[in-house]
Amino acid sequence: MRRETQNILLILLGGALLKIAITGDYLRYVKPSQQPWVIGGGAVMVALGVVAMVRDLLAARAGAAAAPVEGGGPACDEHHHPARSAWLLMVPVLAVFLVAPPALGSDSVTRTQARAPQSSAARDAVAFPPLSEDQVVPLAVSDFVARAGWDETGTLDGRTVSLSGFIVQDSGSTLLARMVIGCCAADAFPVTVSLASGGGVGPAELAELEQDSWIEVTGQVVPGTATRQNRYRPDFTVASLRQIPTPKRPYEF
Amino acid sequence: VETVSDIEAHVGEPVRRRRGRITSVELLCVVLVVAILGQPWLQSVLDVPALRTGATVFVAVCVQALPFLVLGVLISGGIAAFVPARVLCRVIPRRDGPAVGVAGLAGVALPGCECASVPVARRLIGQGVAPAAALTFLLAAPAVNPVVMVATAVAFPGEPGVVLARFLGSLGTAMVMGWLWARWGKLEWIAERALRRLPEVSGGNRWRTFAETARADLVDAGGFLVLGALIAAAMGVLVPSEWFGVLGEQIVLGVLVMAALAVVLALCSEADAFVAASLSAVPMLPKLVFLVVGPAIDVKLFALQAGTFGRSFALRFAPVTFVVAIGCAVLAGWLVLGGVR
């Protein structure tokens, strides 16, 4: 592969990283704290490509095309072998610019169910603090599931909370799910809540919800429903439900 | 623009290069145009749930790992340009035994994912550091740095033993591999290009060498990182999730399955502790094996090693690392955690 092609690929790939970091699409793939890394990595890649290109052009103009790397040994030293593997750099470029894969959804929930948390190991170091006194308490789905499963002081019982997540229609039951990531989407695992009709929301309405559509629900936990047998998936009586657009931050952490 | 590398790349061809020949630049343009025209088709093909998930995981691994690879190539370029070989030789002990020890502890100082350490180790070898020491650094850096240790402590609250066991297991793996290499390793397994020493540079040429080395390393390793990410994404979709569920009682099977999962899932070493912690059905020892094997060898690292050091190196080094890592993890778990649990 020619040097120019390598430089173009580096600029394209660095540009792809910069693009998703700036538009916020990177949140579909990694956690927010990675943003400076993604920007830095992309910027350095673009810079390396541009610097090499400019230097080659200048050298060519100076009529020194035959020896543009005098003193800069590595360029001529390292490319005796054809760098065919570098073509693979095209794949993430095309994936980011043309396909732009969406955030993980219902498919991952059914696929990685066995990786759902089966202990509150990461959470019970901090005991569950009481919920705020508001009428409706917004909670992260992972927090809700942890409290439903392991909180022995019953901070959830009788309280109305609001949760947001996407819909998974799984063998007859309607689940509200959220993916939790530690570093990037490769290590994601799902937390799920089983929605039960109540209040103004009937079972038919729940069953008609579209797979992967995002909703916000308010309602209450059915105490004692998150057990070891059902992988700590609590039941949730839905009082109200509304469709929401896919949030900027699709994952919990 | 014609450069030395291009001319040299074609020297071996019987037919001299002619004007109007299709070069990789034109090929790149054609690929881009075809891909842009075929975008709707591409998107409809990928609109299968499993492929969509795989594509997301693939991009996620790339986005997560590429910045660390960039960090690695910058360090590699810095070593090539600013650290003369004779300084390295003075800092690192001459004899293999102590050199391996120094290299293992030096791994504590590079807080990054495993992708960063491959180009650095390759540059160290290129600058005349004993391969045994450089390979120890390669294995130690991603596993025992403070970031990984803190992440492990957070994932396993109230269990400092896990952090200590992970540290000992990983450091042990790195050092045992270093000593094994010093005893039995052969230089000819490593591809010749990885061994080539850069000429000493001085003054104004330093920055040029820095940028050129970093660029070349990035192009070399980047493609293999992408290959590793593709394999990891495919495995993430293909490995049945039941594998995680059935490991409760079978301790030997558990250890082997968790070790295999660590290889095929290719998780970042800063995140694998959270995945391990969430698997409460699995006893502690297999979890520890997962944490020690993952940063030492996985599909992404194997691809990077094969690309950087050559296939005949990777085919020998990776399986031995796998076995040694399992052994060290089991030993560390037995010593620190006192058995299986």
Side-chain angles (χ1 to χ4, degrees):
Chain A
M1 177 187 280
R2 297 171 57 138
R3 258 175 80 82
E4 297 93 313
T5 321
Q6 297 176 356
N7 295 336
I8 296 171
L9 278 177
L10 281 185
I11 293 171
L12 283 176
L13 186 57
L17 288 184
L18 285 176
K19 182 205 164 207
I20 59 170
I22 290 165
T23 58
D25 285 351
Y26 76 102
L27 290 168
R28 295 176 191 168
Y29 312 118
V30 293
K31 62 180 177 180
S33 63
Q34 294 267 355
Q35 192 185 26
W37 280 97
V38 180
I39 291 181
V44 169
M45 252 185 235
V46 172
L48 288 176
V50 169
V51 165
M53 260 185 171
V54 169
R55 184 175 295 145
D56 290 351
L57 284 177
L58 290 180
R61 193 171 297 170
V69 284
E70 176 248 338
C76 56
D77 275 338
E78 301 211 359
H79 286 281
H80 289 289
H81 65 105
R84 274 205 208 103
S85 66
W87 281 109
L88 283 169
L89 294 175
M90 285 293 285
V91 184
V93 172
L94 297 180
V96 166
F97 281 120
L98 300 182
V99 181
L104 295 178
S106 56
D107 177 62
S108 315
V109 173
T110 40
R111 202 174 288 285
T112 54
Q113 230 148 40
R115 274 155 80 177
Q118 292 170 20
S119 76
S120 61
R123 295 173 221 282
D124 62 9
V126 242
F128 299 101
L131 300 179
S132 78
E133 291 302 312
D134 303 345
Q135 200 117 66
V136 179
V137 188
L139 274 186
V141 179
S142 52
D143 189 15
F144 177 82
V145 170
R147 284 174 189 265
W150 292 282
D151 177 10
E152 302 197 328
T153 57
T155 48
L156 278 182
D157 298 348
R159 298 300 306 272
T160 301
V161 301
S162 86
L163 305 173
S164 61
F166 56 88
I167 289 295
V168 181
Q169 300 285 6
D170 184 25
S171 51
S173 55
T174 305
L175 310 178
L176 175 97
R178 210 55 196 259
M179 300 300 288
V180 180
I181 67 175
C183 193
C184 73
D187 57 58
F189 60 85
V191 284
T192 51
V193 171
S194 183
L195 300 181
S197 56
V201 182
E205 197 178 336
L206 286 179
E208 279 166 14
L209 287 168
E210 205 175 322
Q211 190 90 305
D212 281 320
S213 60
W214 281 79
I215 56 162
E216 188 183 87
V217 290
T218 63
Q220 296 193 352
V221 69
V222 181
T225 44
T227 59
R228 202 180 163 80
Q229 285 71 40
N230 67 4
R231 295 186 191 284
Y232 297 99
R233 174 188 294 160
D235 285 354
F236 185 83
T237 320
V238 182
S240 75
L241 178 159
R242 73 186 174 94
Q243 306 265 351
I244 55 170
T246 307
K248 265 277 172 211
R249 293 187 174 190
Y251 304 118
E252 290 178 359
F253 311 100
Chain B
V1 183
E2 205 170 55
T3 64
V4 169
S5 51
D6 294 321
I7 296 171
E8 288 189 352
H10 292 280
V11 159
E13 294 178 13
V15 186
R16 288 284 301 175
R17 180 194 177 110
R18 281 166 292 145
R19 286 216 171 273
R21 216 185 100 100
I22 294 176
T23 68
S24 53
V25 179
E26 283 98 33
L27 193 56
L28 176 71
C29 294
V30 170
V31 171
L32 284 178
V33 169
V34 168
I36 290 169
L37 291 178
Q39 182 186 12
W41 176 82
L42 202 63
Q43 280 180 335
S44 69
V45 165
L46 286 175
D47 204 22
V48 180
L51 280 179
R52 222 165 30 206
T53 303
T56 306
V57 171
F58 164 69
V59 175
V61 174
C62 286
V63 170
Q64 191 274 126
L66 277 171
F68 287 101
L69 185 66
V70 168
L71 176 69
V73 301
L74 288 181
I75 296 176
S76 159
I79 293 174
F82 300 108
V83 186
R86 56 175 191 284
V87 172
L88 278 176
C89 291
R90 209 175 309 146
V91 175
I92 296 175
R94 200 167 300 272
R95 286 184 30 239
D96 274 337
V100 164
V102 170
L105 292 174
V108 177
L110 181 69
C113 276
E114 46 270 44
C115 316
S117 60
V118 174
V120 177
R122 177 254 183 111
R123 189 58 54 203
L124 287 174
I125 294 180
Q127 296 293 84
V129 171
L135 295 176
T136 305
F137 178 80
L138 169 80
L139 294 174
V144 299
N145 70 64
V147 179
V148 171
M149 289 299 123
V150 169
T152 312
V154 172
F156 293 92
E159 298 197 61
V162 179
V163 183
L164 182 65
R166 180 176 195 182
F167 181 84
L168 292 178
S170 291
L171 195 60
T173 307
M175 292 196 172
V176 168
M177 285 308 293
W179 283 317
L180 285 178
W181 182 273
R183 178 76 184 77
W184 284 288
K186 289 207 174 60
L187 216 50
E188 65 253 30
W189 293 339
I190 300 180
E192 192 263 336
R193 63 176 184 275
L195 295 173
R196 196 177 302 127
R197 189 177 293 204
L198 296 180
E200 195 105 330
V201 289
S202 62
N205 282 335
R206 285 184 190 276
W207 285 104
R208 180 187 289 187
T209 308
F210 171 70
E212 222 10 271
T213 311
R215 194 200 71 89
D217 280 1
L218 188 55
V219 172
D220 276 354
F224 288 96
L225 176 65
V226 171
L227 181 65
L230 280 171
I231 299 172
M235 290 298 180
V237 176
L238 293 178
V239 169
S241 65
E242 292 80 45
W243 279 28
F244 286 98
V246 295
L247 305 175
E249 303 301 312
Q250 306 258 3
I251 196 70
V252 176
L253 184 70
V255 164
L256 292 178
V257 170
M258 288 299 278
L261 280 174
V263 172
V264 298
L265 292 180
L267 299 179
C268 136
S269 59
E270 288 160 27
D272 55 2
F274 294 98
V275 173
S278 70
L279 304 171
S280 72
V282 181
M284 195 51 95
L285 190 66
K287 284 186 197 173
L288 184 64
V289 170
F290 183 77
L291 295 180
V292 172
V293 171
I297 184 67
D298 60 38
V299 286
K300 184 176 67 180
L301 266 176
F302 178 74
L304 270 178
Q305 288 175 0
T308 307
F309 298 111
R311 223 170 300 162
S312 69
F313 168 83
L315 283 176
R316 293 179 168 90
F317 192 71
V320 180
T321 309
F322 183 71
V323 174
V324 168
I326 294 177
C328 287
V330 170
L331 190 65
W334 184 64
L335 286 177
V336 178
L337 304 172
V340 170
R341 287 209 292 162

